[in-house]
Amino acid sequence: MARESDNATWPEAEALLAALSPAMVALMDELSAVMFCAKDATGRYVLVNEVFVRRTHERSRRGVVGRRARDLFVPDLAERYEAQDAEVLRTGRPLRGELELIRRSGGAPGWFLTSKLPVRTPGGAVVGLVSVSQDLRSQDADDATMDAMSRLVAGVQAHLDTTPSAPLTVADLAALAGCSPDALERRVRRVFGLSPRQLVLRSRVDRAAHLLAETTTPLAEVAAATGFYDQPSFTRQFARLTGETPSSFRRRARRA
């Protein structure tokens, strides 16, 4: 990957490359079903793997590096990608588990699960982002399943935005997904490898991690904003899933 990105020498690209781990970048080329890219703060591609190149009309990474989404994808997809990128860069908040229908060059559309994370300098400035999109064909999930999961993820996020303290039952989740509880269980496990309750818990912890890293909101308020019963239960669950307490997570994020 490094050889193909030698032409990424503009200032924004250099700032991003300096903030990335070389080992992580090298590992991305080993992925056979995951698209990877790194974009600078202006939206230009700085690094991509071969899987990413195959989703464009270009033949090599040299044809992708230095260009933007609008140069490589159909307008509706490009607009979606650029809106996602702008939000991540503006807020510094990761995008996780976004279901996307990505059109393959010369083939049928396919479902991908996309995550985007901001890249920061040691001083904390956001200089770009990295993105991975997992091809879900290997999960053998049909479009009806993926459509249900898209509705479910959006519904859980809306619930956290508006009424985080209200419990979400399996019946509630099934209603969000538009399927029966039994079908919900099968579909969530097929796509995410989790139970429905685990998926909700992960969403709550992801939201809490953002608040801890990006705000000075007191821990008790973070617990309430992410649907935990109280601060002690929040601390126990967060530590179980992340390996560190909310306080230590916040301290480490501030040092990064």
Side-chain angles (χ1 to χ4, degrees), residues 5-141:
S5 63
D6 286 345
N7 60 333
T9 57
W10 59 94
E12 294 88 353
E14 292 172 353
L16 176 58
L17 290 170
L20 290 173
S21 161
M24 182 274 291
V25 170
L27 184 63
M28 292 303 101
D29 254 355
E30 303 300 320
L31 302 175
S32 60
V34 178
M35 297 168 63
F36 166 81
C37 71
K39 295 182 182 180
D40 69 17
T42 72
R44 284 180 288 184
Y45 292 100
V46 175
L47 293 170
V48 295
N49 67 355
E50 289 291 347
V51 182
F52 186 97
V53 174
R54 291 198 296 271
R55 297 296 179 258
T56 73
H57 292 291
E58 298 298 327
R59 296 182 178 180
S60 72
R61 284 178 280 215
R62 291 189 185 277
V64 175
V65 169
R67 302 176 74 184
R68 293 180 169 86
R70 71 193 72 162
D71 303 318
L72 300 167
F73 298 100
V74 295
D76 56 340
L77 282 181
E79 290 173 8
R80 177 181 175 87
Y81 298 157
E82 290 175 353
Q84 290 173 345
D85 297 345
E87 183 71 8
V88 171
L89 294 170
R90 181 182 67 82
T91 65
R93 178 177 174 177
L95 172 77
R96 298 183 188 276
E98 183 81 359
L99 286 167
E100 297 186 314
L101 189 63
I102 298 179
R103 299 173 189 175
R104 300 185 179 94
S105 178
W111 283 103
F112 286 73
L113 198 62
T114 295
S115 294
K116 298 183 177 184
L117 296 105
V119 177
R120 301 178 185 273
T121 66
V126 176
V127 292
L129 60 85
V130 289
S131 171
V132 290
S133 297
Q134 179 187 355
D135 191 339
L136 295 177
R137 287 179 300 172
S138 60
Q139 305 296 333
D140 193 28

Side-chain angles (χ1 to χ4, degrees), residues 237-248:
Q237 291 278 31
F238 190 90
R240 181 175 67 84
L241 292 175
T242 68
E244 56 186 326
T245 66
S247 295
S248 62

Side-chain angles (χ1 to χ4, degrees), residues 193-207:
L194 304 168
S195 71
R197 292 188 183 278
Q198 287 173 326
L199 178 63
V200 173
L201 181 58
R202 190 187 72 174
S203 298
R204 291 160 63 196
V205 169
D206 282 345
R207 178 72 61 92

Side-chain angles (χ1 to χ4, degrees), residues 205-233:
V205 169
D206 282 345
R207 178 72 61 92
H210 167 69
L211 292 173
L212 292 170
E214 303 297 332
T215 75
T216 58
T217 305
L219 296 185
E221 293 181 23
V222 172
T226 51
F228 290 93
Y229 176 71
D230 54 20
Q231 185 176 332
S233 64

Side-chain angles (χ1 to χ4, degrees), residues 149-167:
M149 294 303 93
S150 181
R151 292 196 301 270
L152 175 63
V153 169
V156 170
Q157 293 302 319
H159 176 83
L160 288 174
D161 288 337
T162 57
T163 55
S165 61

